[in-house]
PDB file of all heavy atoms in Angstrom:
ATOM      1  N   LYS A  39       0.864-113.827  13.950  1.00  0.00           N
ATOM      2  CA  LYS A  39       0.506-112.394  13.879  1.00  0.00           C
ATOM      3  C   LYS A  39      -0.661-112.112  14.812  1.00  0.00           C
ATOM      4  O   LYS A  39      -0.674-111.126  15.551  1.00  0.00           O
ATOM      5  CB  LYS A  39       0.171-112.042  12.418  1.00  0.00           C
ATOM      6  CG  LYS A  39      -0.313-110.653  12.146  1.00  0.00           C
ATOM      7  CD  LYS A  39       0.752-109.584  12.246  1.00  0.00           C
ATOM      8  CE  LYS A  39       1.772-109.608  11.135  1.00  0.00           C
ATOM      9  NZ  LYS A  39       2.884-108.673  11.349  1.00  0.00           N
ATOM     10  N   VAL A  40      -1.650-113.005  14.789  1.00  0.00           N
ATOM     11  CA  VAL A  40      -2.817-112.825  15.661  1.00  0.00           C
ATOM     12  C   VAL A  40      -2.386-112.864  17.129  1.00  0.00           C
ATOM     13  O   VAL A  40      -2.805-112.028  17.932  1.00  0.00           O
ATOM     14  CB  VAL A  40      -3.895-113.904  15.372  1.00  0.00           C
ATOM     15  CG1 VAL A  40      -4.976-113.902  16.438  1.00  0.00           C
ATOM     16  CG2 VAL A  40      -4.518-113.671  13.995  1.00  0.00           C
ATOM     17  N   VAL A  43      -0.498-109.447  18.032  1.00  0.00           N
ATOM     18  CA  VAL A  43      -1.150-108.140  17.812  1.00  0.00           C
ATOM     19  C   VAL A  43      -2.674-108.200  17.981  1.00  0.00           C
ATOM     20  O   VAL A  43      -3.231-107.611  18.911  1.00  0.00           O
ATOM     21  CB  VAL A  43      -0.801-107.589  16.409  1.00  0.00           C
ATOM     22  CG1 VAL A  43      -1.448-106.227  16.212  1.00  0.00           C
ATOM     23  CG2 VAL A  43       0.704-107.497  16.223  1.00  0.00           C
ATOM     24  N   CYS A  44      -3.331-108.936  17.092  1.00  0.00           N
ATOM     25  CA  CYS A  44      -4.806-108.931  17.066  1.00  0.00           C
ATOM     26  C   CYS A  44      -5.391-109.458  18.365  1.00  0.00           C
ATOM     27  O   CYS A  44      -6.473-109.022  18.795  1.00  0.00           O
ATOM     28  CB  CYS A  44      -5.322-109.764  15.901  1.00  0.00           C
ATOM     29  SG  CYS A  44      -4.309-109.664  14.403  1.00  0.00           S
ATOM     30  N   ALA A  45      -4.681-110.398  19.018  1.00  0.00           N
ATOM     31  CA  ALA A  45      -5.174-111.017  20.253  1.00  0.00           C
ATOM     32  C   ALA A  45      -5.466-109.981  21.332  1.00  0.00           C
ATOM     33  O   ALA A  45      -6.334-110.191  22.176  1.00  0.00           O
ATOM     34  CB  ALA A  45      -4.148-112.025  20.775  1.00  0.00           C
ATOM     35  N   ALA A  46      -4.760-108.852  21.303  1.00  0.00           N
ATOM     36  CA  ALA A  46      -4.959-107.809  22.310  1.00  0.00           C
ATOM     37  C   ALA A  46      -6.412-107.330  22.327  1.00  0.00           C
ATOM     38  O   ALA A  46      -6.897-106.853  23.352  1.00  0.00           O
ATOM     39  CB  ALA A  46      -4.028-106.632  22.038  1.00  0.00           C
ATOM     40  N   CYS A  47      -7.100-107.465  21.214  1.00  0.00           N
ATOM     41  CA  CYS A  47      -8.498-106.997  21.130  1.00  0.00           C
ATOM     42  C   CYS A  47      -9.473-108.090  20.686  1.00  0.00           C
ATOM     43  O   CYS A  47     -10.576-108.183  21.191  1.00  0.00           O
ATOM     44  CB  CYS A  47      -8.591-105.806  20.174  1.00  0.00           C
ATOM     45  SG  CYS A  47      -7.673-104.374  20.775  1.00  0.00           S
ATOM     46  N   HIS A  48      -9.049-108.891  19.704  1.00  0.00           N
ATOM     47  CA  HIS A  48      -9.962-109.915  19.166  1.00  0.00           C
ATOM     48  C   HIS A  48      -9.767-111.277  19.822  1.00  0.00           C
ATOM     49  O   HIS A  48     -10.490-112.214  19.488  1.00  0.00           O
ATOM     50  CB  HIS A  48      -9.771-110.056  17.648  1.00  0.00           C
ATOM     51  CG  HIS A  48     -10.140-108.818  16.878  1.00  0.00           C
ATOM     52  ND1 HIS A  48     -11.447-108.432  16.669  1.00  0.00           N
ATOM     53  CD2 HIS A  48      -9.368-107.861  16.294  1.00  0.00           C
ATOM     54  CE1 HIS A  48     -11.462-107.295  15.966  1.00  0.00           C
ATOM     55  NE2 HIS A  48     -10.215-106.931  15.738  1.00  0.00           N
ATOM     56  N   THR A  58     -17.359-104.026  22.641  1.00  0.00           N
ATOM     57  CA  THR A  58     -17.238-103.067  21.540  1.00  0.00           C
ATOM     58  C   THR A  58     -16.319-103.577  20.430  1.00  0.00           C
ATOM     59  O   THR A  58     -16.083-102.869  19.457  1.00  0.00           O
ATOM     60  CB  THR A  58     -16.695-101.724  22.058  1.00  0.00           C
ATOM     61  OG1 THR A  58     -15.467-101.995  22.756  1.00  0.00           O
ATOM     62  CG2 THR A  58     -17.674-101.055  23.006  1.00  0.00           C
ATOM     63  N   ILE A  59     -15.803-104.799  20.589  1.00  0.00           N
ATOM     64  CA  ILE A  59     -14.881-105.360  19.589  1.00  0.00           C
ATOM     65  C   ILE A  59     -15.461-106.665  19.050  1.00  0.00           C
ATOM     66  O   ILE A  59     -15.834-107.541  19.827  1.00  0.00           O
ATOM     67  CB  ILE A  59     -13.483-105.593  20.211  1.00  0.00           C
ATOM     68  CG1 ILE A  59     -12.931-104.258  20.747  1.00  0.00           C
ATOM     69  CG2 ILE A  59     -12.529-106.209  19.201  1.00  0.00           C
ATOM     70  CD1 ILE A  59     -11.620-104.376  21.494  1.00  0.00           C
ATOM     71  N   PRO A  60     -15.568-106.801  17.716  1.00  0.00           N
ATOM     72  CA  PRO A  60     -16.208-107.997  17.156  1.00  0.00           C
ATOM     73  C   PRO A  60     -15.369-109.270  17.317  1.00  0.00           C
ATOM     74  O   PRO A  60     -14.142-109.213  17.271  1.00  0.00           O
ATOM     75  CB  PRO A  60     -16.370-107.652  15.669  1.00  0.00           C
ATOM     76  CG  PRO A  60     -15.359-106.587  15.389  1.00  0.00           C
ATOM     77  CD  PRO A  60     -15.164-105.833  16.665  1.00  0.00           C
ATOM     78  N   ASN A  61     -16.069-110.401  17.512  1.00  0.00           N
ATOM     79  CA  ASN A  61     -15.421-111.720  17.416  1.00  0.00           C
ATOM     80  C   ASN A  61     -15.051-111.948  15.951  1.00  0.00           C
ATOM     81  O   ASN A  61     -15.788-111.522  15.061  1.00  0.00           O
ATOM     82  CB  ASN A  61     -16.392-112.835  17.826  1.00  0.00           C
ATOM     83  CG  ASN A  61     -16.647-112.862  19.325  1.00  0.00           C
ATOM     84  OD1 ASN A  61     -15.972-112.182  20.097  1.00  0.00           O
ATOM     85  ND2 ASN A  61     -17.635-113.641  19.733  1.00  0.00           N
ATOM     86  N   LEU A  62     -13.945-112.641  15.708  1.00  0.00           N
ATOM     87  CA  LEU A  62     -13.587-112.993  14.329  1.00  0.00           C
ATOM     88  C   LEU A  62     -13.539-114.505  14.134  1.00  0.00           C
ATOM     89  O   LEU A  62     -13.416-114.987  13.006  1.00  0.00           O
ATOM     90  CB  LEU A  62     -12.249-112.354  13.947  1.00  0.00           C
ATOM     91  CG  LEU A  62     -12.250-110.810  13.943  1.00  0.00           C
ATOM     92  CD1 LEU A  62     -10.848-110.266  13.686  1.00  0.00           C
ATOM     93  CD2 LEU A  62     -13.225-110.250  12.916  1.00  0.00           C
ATOM     94  N   GLN A  65     -15.466-116.564  11.331  1.00  0.00           N
ATOM     95  CA  GLN A  65     -15.913-115.629  10.285  1.00  0.00           C
ATOM     96  C   GLN A  65     -15.339-116.103   8.946  1.00  0.00           C
ATOM     97  O   GLN A  65     -14.275-116.717   8.893  1.00  0.00           O
ATOM     98  CB  GLN A  65     -15.432-114.209  10.614  1.00  0.00           C
ATOM     99  CG  GLN A  65     -15.898-113.125   9.664  1.00  0.00           C
ATOM    100  CD  GLN A  65     -17.402-113.111   9.455  1.00  0.00           C
ATOM    101  OE1 GLN A  65     -17.922-113.883   8.639  1.00  0.00           O
ATOM    102  NE2 GLN A  65     -18.098-112.282  10.225  1.00  0.00           N
ATOM    103  N   TYR A  69     -14.719-112.452   3.801  1.00  0.00           N
ATOM    104  CA  TYR A  69     -15.269-111.251   4.448  1.00  0.00           C
ATOM    105  C   TYR A  69     -14.177-110.535   5.240  1.00  0.00           C
ATOM    106  O   TYR A  69     -14.030-109.309   5.148  1.00  0.00           O
ATOM    107  CB  TYR A  69     -16.443-111.624   5.367  1.00  0.00           C
ATOM    108  CG  TYR A  69     -16.940-110.454   6.171  1.00  0.00           C
ATOM    109  CD1 TYR A  69     -17.809-109.519   5.606  1.00  0.00           C
ATOM    110  CD2 TYR A  69     -16.526-110.255   7.487  1.00  0.00           C
ATOM    111  CE1 TYR A  69     -18.250-108.418   6.333  1.00  0.00           C
ATOM    112  CE2 TYR A  69     -16.963-109.162   8.224  1.00  0.00           C
ATOM    113  CZ  TYR A  69     -17.825-108.243   7.645  1.00  0.00           C
ATOM    114  OH  TYR A  69     -18.245-107.159   8.356  1.00  0.00           O
ATOM    115  N   ILE A  70     -13.398-111.301   6.014  1.00  0.00           N
ATOM    116  CA  ILE A  70     -12.330-110.686   6.817  1.00  0.00           C
ATOM    117  C   ILE A  70     -11.346-109.957   5.901  1.00  0.00           C
ATOM    118  O   ILE A  70     -10.969-108.807   6.155  1.00  0.00           O
ATOM    119  CB  ILE A  70     -11.605-111.755   7.670  1.00  0.00           C
ATOM    120  CG1 ILE A  70     -12.566-112.344   8.702  1.00  0.00           C
ATOM    121  CG2 ILE A  70     -10.372-111.161   8.352  1.00  0.00           C
ATOM    122  CD1 ILE A  70     -11.959-113.424   9.595  1.00  0.00           C
ATOM    123  N   GLU A  71     -10.961-110.614   4.797  1.00  0.00           N
ATOM    124  CA  GLU A  71     -10.017-109.981   3.863  1.00  0.00           C
ATOM    125  C   GLU A  71     -10.592-108.692   3.288  1.00  0.00           C
ATOM    126  O   GLU A  71      -9.904-107.670   3.220  1.00  0.00           O
ATOM    127  CB  GLU A  71      -9.695-110.933   2.697  1.00  0.00           C
ATOM    128  CG  GLU A  71      -8.738-112.033   3.073  1.00  0.00           C
ATOM    129  CD  GLU A  71      -8.048-112.638   1.849  1.00  0.00           C
ATOM    130  OE1 GLU A  71      -7.654-111.866   0.945  1.00  0.00           O
ATOM    131  OE2 GLU A  71      -7.923-113.868   1.800  1.00  0.00           O
ATOM    132  N   GLN A  73     -12.852-106.716   4.555  1.00  0.00           N
ATOM    133  CA  GLN A  73     -12.918-105.652   5.571  1.00  0.00           C
ATOM    134  C   GLN A  73     -11.539-105.079   5.843  1.00  0.00           C
ATOM    135  O   GLN A  73     -11.383-103.867   5.989  1.00  0.00           O
ATOM    136  CB  GLN A  73     -13.540-106.190   6.870  1.00  0.00           C
ATOM    137  CG  GLN A  73     -14.996-106.611   6.719  1.00  0.00           C
ATOM    138  CD  GLN A  73     -15.815-105.578   5.970  1.00  0.00           C
ATOM    139  OE1 GLN A  73     -15.809-104.390   6.333  1.00  0.00           O
ATOM    140  NE2 GLN A  73     -16.495-105.985   4.915  1.00  0.00           N
ATOM    141  N   LEU A  74     -10.532-105.961   5.928  1.00  0.00           N
ATOM    142  CA  LEU A  74      -9.177-105.464   6.216  1.00  0.00           C
ATOM    143  C   LEU A  74      -8.659-104.589   5.069  1.00  0.00           C
ATOM    144  O   LEU A  74      -7.991-103.581   5.300  1.00  0.00           O
ATOM    145  CB  LEU A  74      -8.221-106.633   6.492  1.00  0.00           C
ATOM    146  CG  LEU A  74      -8.423-107.287   7.863  1.00  0.00           C
ATOM    147  CD1 LEU A  74      -7.602-108.565   7.993  1.00  0.00           C
ATOM    148  CD2 LEU A  74      -8.061-106.313   8.993  1.00  0.00           C
ATOM    149  N   LEU A  77     -10.408-101.292   5.439  1.00  0.00           N
ATOM    150  CA  LEU A  77      -9.867-100.555   6.595  1.00  0.00           C
ATOM    151  C   LEU A  77      -8.474-100.021   6.279  1.00  0.00           C
ATOM    152  O   LEU A  77      -8.094 -98.925   6.708  1.00  0.00           O
ATOM    153  CB  LEU A  77      -9.835-101.462   7.830  1.00  0.00           C
ATOM    154  CG  LEU A  77     -11.213-101.754   8.453  1.00  0.00           C
ATOM    155  CD1 LEU A  77     -11.187-103.019   9.311  1.00  0.00           C
ATOM    156  CD2 LEU A  77     -11.707-100.569   9.274  1.00  0.00           C
ATOM    157  N   ARG A  82     -13.437 -97.954   4.702  1.00  0.00           N
ATOM    158  CA  ARG A  82     -14.180 -98.210   5.942  1.00  0.00           C
ATOM    159  C   ARG A  82     -13.424 -97.491   7.052  1.00  0.00           C
ATOM    160  O   ARG A  82     -12.209 -97.660   7.175  1.00  0.00           O
ATOM    161  CB  ARG A  82     -14.257 -99.713   6.244  1.00  0.00           C
ATOM    162  CG  ARG A  82     -14.894 -99.981   7.607  1.00  0.00           C
ATOM    163  CD  ARG A  82     -15.189-101.450   7.842  1.00  0.00           C
ATOM    164  NE  ARG A  82     -15.579-101.662   9.235  1.00  0.00           N
ATOM    165  CZ  ARG A  82     -15.881-102.843   9.756  1.00  0.00           C
ATOM    166  NH1 ARG A  82     -15.854-103.926   8.994  1.00  0.00           N
ATOM    167  NH2 ARG A  82     -16.220-102.956  11.025  1.00  0.00           N
ATOM    168  N   LYS A  83     -14.146 -96.656   7.812  1.00  0.00           N
ATOM    169  CA  LYS A  83     -13.456 -95.812   8.791  1.00  0.00           C
ATOM    170  C   LYS A  83     -13.633 -96.297  10.225  1.00  0.00           C
ATOM    171  O   LYS A  83     -14.738 -96.551  10.668  1.00  0.00           O
ATOM    172  CB  LYS A  83     -13.962 -94.372   8.679  1.00  0.00           C
ATOM    173  CG  LYS A  83     -13.662 -93.787   7.315  1.00  0.00           C
ATOM    174  CD  LYS A  83     -13.509 -92.288   7.333  1.00  0.00           C
ATOM    175  CE  LYS A  83     -13.368 -91.728   5.929  1.00  0.00           C
ATOM    176  NZ  LYS A  83     -12.373 -92.423   5.083  1.00  0.00           N
ATOM    177  N   ASN A  84     -12.512 -96.449  10.907  1.00  0.00           N
ATOM    178  CA  ASN A  84     -12.483 -96.721  12.345  1.00  0.00           C
ATOM    179  C   ASN A  84     -11.074 -96.371  12.800  1.00  0.00           C
ATOM    180  O   ASN A  84     -10.108 -96.948  12.292  1.00  0.00           O
ATOM    181  CB  ASN A  84     -12.811 -98.193  12.640  1.00  0.00           C
ATOM    182  CG  ASN A  84     -12.699 -98.494  14.122  1.00  0.00           C
ATOM    183  OD1 ASN A  84     -11.681 -98.987  14.601  1.00  0.00           O
ATOM    184  ND2 ASN A  84     -13.731 -98.170  14.865  1.00  0.00           N
ATOM    185  N   ILE A  86      -9.171 -96.972  15.279  1.00  0.00           N
ATOM    186  CA  ILE A  86      -8.306 -98.034  15.791  1.00  0.00           C
ATOM    187  C   ILE A  86      -7.886 -98.966  14.655  1.00  0.00           C
ATOM    188  O   ILE A  86      -6.701 -99.191  14.411  1.00  0.00           O
ATOM    189  CB  ILE A  86      -9.018 -98.824  16.912  1.00  0.00           C
ATOM    190  CG1 ILE A  86      -9.145 -97.919  18.157  1.00  0.00           C
ATOM    191  CG2 ILE A  86      -8.282-100.115  17.239  1.00  0.00           C
ATOM    192  CD1 ILE A  86      -9.875 -98.562  19.310  1.00  0.00           C
ATOM    193  N   MET A  87      -8.862 -99.497  13.928  1.00  0.00           N
ATOM    194  CA  MET A  87      -8.544-100.499  12.898  1.00  0.00           C
ATOM    195  C   MET A  87      -7.856 -99.901  11.672  1.00  0.00           C
ATOM    196  O   MET A  87      -7.106-100.592  10.987  1.00  0.00           O
ATOM    197  CB  MET A  87      -9.801-101.271  12.478  1.00  0.00           C
ATOM    198  CG  MET A  87     -10.101-102.490  13.332  1.00  0.00           C
ATOM    199  SD  MET A  87      -8.679-103.581  13.644  1.00  0.00           S
ATOM    200  CE  MET A  87      -8.308-104.148  11.988  1.00  0.00           C
ATOM    201  N   ILE A  90      -4.242-100.079  12.448  1.00  0.00           N
ATOM    202  CA  ILE A  90      -3.712-101.449  12.441  1.00  0.00           C
ATOM    203  C   ILE A  90      -3.644-101.998  11.017  1.00  0.00           C
ATOM    204  O   ILE A  90      -2.605-102.514  10.583  1.00  0.00           O
ATOM    205  CB  ILE A  90      -4.600-102.356  13.315  1.00  0.00           C
ATOM    206  CG1 ILE A  90      -4.650-101.736  14.706  1.00  0.00           C
ATOM    207  CG2 ILE A  90      -4.155-103.813  13.258  1.00  0.00           C
ATOM    208  CD1 ILE A  90      -4.491-102.591  15.856  1.00  0.00           C
ATOM    209  N   LEU A  94      -0.643-103.835   7.697  1.00  0.00           N
ATOM    210  CA  LEU A  94      -0.700-105.229   7.231  1.00  0.00           C
ATOM    211  C   LEU A  94      -0.432-105.311   5.734  1.00  0.00           C
ATOM    212  O   LEU A  94      -0.989-104.524   4.957  1.00  0.00           O
ATOM    213  CB  LEU A  94      -2.085-105.826   7.523  1.00  0.00           C
ATOM    214  CG  LEU A  94      -2.505-105.968   8.990  1.00  0.00           C
ATOM    215  CD1 LEU A  94      -3.958-106.447   9.075  1.00  0.00           C
ATOM    216  CD2 LEU A  94      -1.590-106.926   9.736  1.00  0.00           C
ATOM    217  N   VAL A 102      -4.026-113.962   8.253  1.00  0.00           N
ATOM    218  CA  VAL A 102      -4.862-113.821   9.460  1.00  0.00           C
ATOM    219  C   VAL A 102      -6.314-114.180   9.145  1.00  0.00           C
ATOM    220  O   VAL A 102      -7.001-114.780   9.976  1.00  0.00           O
ATOM    221  CB  VAL A 102      -4.768-112.409  10.099  1.00  0.00           C
ATOM    222  CG1 VAL A 102      -3.372-112.137  10.614  1.00  0.00           C
ATOM    223  CG2 VAL A 102      -5.220-111.308   9.161  1.00  0.00           C
ATOM    224  N   ALA A 103      -6.769-113.845   7.934  1.00  0.00           N
ATOM    225  CA  ALA A 103      -8.158-114.164   7.556  1.00  0.00           C
ATOM    226  C   ALA A 103      -8.354-115.683   7.561  1.00  0.00           C
ATOM    227  O   ALA A 103      -9.331-116.191   8.110  1.00  0.00           O
ATOM    228  CB  ALA A 103      -8.479-113.578   6.190  1.00  0.00           C
ATOM    229  N   PHE A 106      -8.344-116.974  11.298  1.00  0.00           N
ATOM    230  CA  PHE A 106      -9.591-116.738  12.048  1.00  0.00           C
ATOM    231  C   PHE A 106     -10.704-117.657  11.541  1.00  0.00           C
ATOM    232  O   PHE A 106     -11.516-118.151  12.322  1.00  0.00           O
ATOM    233  CB  PHE A 106     -10.024-115.272  11.941  1.00  0.00           C
ATOM    234  CG  PHE A 106      -9.275-114.344  12.866  1.00  0.00           C
ATOM    235  CD1 PHE A 106      -8.611-113.226  12.376  1.00  0.00           C
ATOM    236  CD2 PHE A 106      -9.247-114.578  14.244  1.00  0.00           C
ATOM    237  CE1 PHE A 106      -7.928-112.362  13.236  1.00  0.00           C
ATOM    238  CE2 PHE A 106      -8.559-113.720  15.107  1.00  0.00           C
ATOM    239  CZ  PHE A 106      -7.898-112.618  14.600  1.00  0.00           C
ATOM    240  N   MET A 225       3.708-103.332  16.129  1.00  0.00           N
ATOM    241  CA  MET A 225       2.537-102.775  15.426  1.00  0.00           C
ATOM    242  C   MET A 225       1.692-101.874  16.314  1.00  0.00           C
ATOM    243  O   MET A 225       0.880-101.095  15.815  1.00  0.00           O
ATOM    244  CB  MET A 225       1.666-103.897  14.854  1.00  0.00           C
ATOM    245  CG  MET A 225       2.077-104.316  13.450  1.00  0.00           C
ATOM    246  SD  MET A 225       0.951-105.543  12.766  1.00  0.00           S
ATOM    247  CE  MET A 225      -0.552-104.600  12.616  1.00  0.00           C
ATOM    248  N   LEU A 226       1.842-102.005  17.629  1.00  0.00           N
ATOM    249  CA  LEU A 226       1.043-101.178  18.550  1.00  0.00           C
ATOM    250  C   LEU A 226       1.890-100.120  19.254  1.00  0.00           C
ATOM    251  O   LEU A 226       1.393 -99.058  19.617  1.00  0.00           O
ATOM    252  CB  LEU A 226       0.366-102.072  19.606  1.00  0.00           C
ATOM    253  CG  LEU A 226      -0.686-103.039  19.073  1.00  0.00           C
ATOM    254  CD1 LEU A 226      -1.116-104.026  20.144  1.00  0.00           C
ATOM    255  CD2 LEU A 226      -1.905-102.273  18.559  1.00  0.00           C
ATOM    256  N   ASN A 246      -7.378-101.569  28.365  1.00  0.00           N
ATOM    257  CA  ASN A 246      -6.680-102.294  27.321  1.00  0.00           C
ATOM    258  C   ASN A 246      -5.838-101.266  26.574  1.00  0.00           C
ATOM    259  O   ASN A 246      -6.330-100.574  25.694  1.00  0.00           O
ATOM    260  CB  ASN A 246      -7.706-102.955  26.396  1.00  0.00           C
ATOM    261  CG  ASN A 246      -7.044-103.811  25.331  1.00  0.00           C
ATOM    262  OD1 ASN A 246      -5.847-104.081  25.396  1.00  0.00           O
ATOM    263  ND2 ASN A 246      -7.836-104.229  24.361  1.00  0.00           N
ATOM    264  N   ALA A 248      -3.947-101.496  24.291  1.00  0.00           N
ATOM    265  CA  ALA A 248      -3.905-101.706  22.838  1.00  0.00           C
ATOM    266  C   ALA A 248      -4.777-100.669  22.130  1.00  0.00           C
ATOM    267  O   ALA A 248      -4.410-100.148  21.077  1.00  0.00           O
ATOM    268  CB  ALA A 248      -4.377-103.113  22.502  1.00  0.00           C
ATOM    269  N   GLU A 249      -5.927-100.337  22.728  1.00  0.00           N
ATOM    270  CA  GLU A 249      -6.823 -99.357  22.095  1.00  0.00           C
ATOM    271  C   GLU A 249      -6.215 -97.965  22.126  1.00  0.00           C
ATOM    272  O   GLU A 249      -6.316 -97.210  21.154  1.00  0.00           O
ATOM    273  CB  GLU A 249      -8.190 -99.379  22.784  1.00  0.00           C
ATOM    274  CG  GLU A 249      -8.868-100.732  22.660  1.00  0.00           C
ATOM    275  CD  GLU A 249     -10.305-100.728  23.159  1.00  0.00           C
ATOM    276  OE1 GLU A 249     -11.044 -99.775  22.861  1.00  0.00           O
ATOM    277  OE2 GLU A 249     -10.689-101.676  23.861  1.00  0.00           O
ATOM    278  N   CYS A 250      -5.598 -97.611  23.254  1.00  0.00           N
ATOM    279  CA  CYS A 250      -4.943 -96.296  23.373  1.00  0.00           C
ATOM    280  C   CYS A 250      -3.815 -96.205  22.340  1.00  0.00           C
ATOM    281  O   CYS A 250      -3.697 -95.225  21.610  1.00  0.00           O
ATOM    282  CB  CYS A 250      -4.379 -96.072  24.769  1.00  0.00           C
ATOM    283  SG  CYS A 250      -5.325 -96.737  26.160  1.00  0.00           S
ATOM    284  N   ALA A 252      -3.320 -97.879  19.524  1.00  0.00           N
ATOM    285  CA  ALA A 252      -3.748 -97.877  18.122  1.00  0.00           C
ATOM    286  C   ALA A 252      -4.265 -96.498  17.711  1.00  0.00           C
ATOM    287  O   ALA A 252      -3.936 -95.993  16.637  1.00  0.00           O
ATOM    288  CB  ALA A 252      -4.804 -98.950  17.898  1.00  0.00           C
TER     289      ALA A 252
HETATM  290  C1  HEC B   1      -6.715-102.110  19.710  1.00  0.00           C
HETATM  291  C2  HEC B   1      -7.758-103.069  19.449  1.00  0.00           C
HETATM  292  C3  HEC B   1      -7.702-103.850  18.156  1.00  0.00           C
HETATM  293  C4  HEC B   1      -6.639-104.570  17.658  1.00  0.00           C
HETATM  294  C5  HEC B   1      -5.249-104.728  18.248  1.00  0.00           C
HETATM  295  C6  HEC B   1      -7.120-105.168  16.435  1.00  0.00           C
HETATM  296  N1  HEC B   1      -8.421-104.834  16.221  1.00  0.00           N
HETATM  297 FE1  HEC B   1      -9.580-105.407  14.644  1.00  0.00          FE
HETATM  298  N2  HEC B   1     -11.134-104.311  15.358  1.00  0.00           N
HETATM  299  C7  HEC B   1     -11.100-103.545  16.502  1.00  0.00           C
HETATM  300  C8  HEC B   1     -12.340-102.821  16.626  1.00  0.00           C
HETATM  301  C9  HEC B   1     -12.706-101.849  17.740  1.00  0.00           C
HETATM  302  C10 HEC B   1     -13.132-103.176  15.517  1.00  0.00           C
HETATM  303  C11 HEC B   1     -14.528-102.667  15.148  1.00  0.00           C
HETATM  304  C12 HEC B   1     -14.354-101.575  14.119  1.00  0.00           C
HETATM  305  C13 HEC B   1     -15.613-100.882  13.742  1.00  0.00           C
HETATM  306  O1  HEC B   1     -16.470-100.686  14.591  1.00  0.00           O
HETATM  307  O2  HEC B   1     -15.731-100.522  12.544  1.00  0.00           O
HETATM  308  C14 HEC B   1     -12.338-104.114  14.742  1.00  0.00           C
HETATM  309  C15 HEC B   1     -12.750-104.695  13.551  1.00  0.00           C
HETATM  310  C16 HEC B   1     -12.025-105.592  12.827  1.00  0.00           C
HETATM  311  C17 HEC B   1     -12.491-106.259  11.633  1.00  0.00           C
HETATM  312  C18 HEC B   1     -13.865-106.095  10.981  1.00  0.00           C
HETATM  313  C19 HEC B   1     -14.803-107.122  11.574  1.00  0.00           C
HETATM  314  C20 HEC B   1     -16.202-107.051  11.044  1.00  0.00           C
HETATM  315  O3  HEC B   1     -17.037-107.797  11.585  1.00  0.00           O
HETATM  316  O4  HEC B   1     -16.492-106.286  10.121  1.00  0.00           O
HETATM  317  C21 HEC B   1     -11.490-107.090  11.230  1.00  0.00           C
HETATM  318  C22 HEC B   1     -11.529-108.029  10.026  1.00  0.00           C
HETATM  319  C23 HEC B   1     -10.393-106.930  12.146  1.00  0.00           C
HETATM  320  N3  HEC B   1     -10.741-106.020  13.111  1.00  0.00           N
HETATM  321  C24 HEC B   1      -9.190-107.609  12.052  1.00  0.00           C
HETATM  322  C25 HEC B   1      -8.096-107.384  12.893  1.00  0.00           C
HETATM  323  C26 HEC B   1      -6.809-108.003  12.718  1.00  0.00           C
HETATM  324  C27 HEC B   1      -6.463-108.997  11.629  1.00  0.00           C
HETATM  325  C28 HEC B   1      -6.004-107.540  13.713  1.00  0.00           C
HETATM  326  C29 HEC B   1      -4.550-107.836  13.963  1.00  0.00           C
HETATM  327  C30 HEC B   1      -3.640-107.604  12.866  1.00  0.00           C
HETATM  328  C31 HEC B   1      -6.804-106.620  14.508  1.00  0.00           C
HETATM  329  N4  HEC B   1      -8.057-106.548  13.962  1.00  0.00           N
HETATM  330  C32 HEC B   1      -6.339-105.965  15.618  1.00  0.00           C
HETATM  331  C33 HEC B   1     -10.065-103.475  17.402  1.00  0.00           C
HETATM  332  C34 HEC B   1      -8.816-104.029  17.243  1.00  0.00           C
END
Side-chain angles (χ1 to χ4, degrees):
K39 176 72 71 187
V40 169
V43 182
C44 324
C47 296
H48 296 286
T58 54
I59 301 175
N61 287 350
L62 297 174
Q65 184 53 277
Y69 174 81
I70 295 179
E71 284 201 42
Q73 295 314 308
L74 286 171
L77 287 159
R82 174 171 170 181
K83 298 208 187 311
N84 177 263
I86 290 178
M87 273 313 296
I90 303 225
L94 296 174
V102 295
F106 280 125
M225 271 184 66
L226 294 170
N246 184 11
E249 298 188 43
C250 324

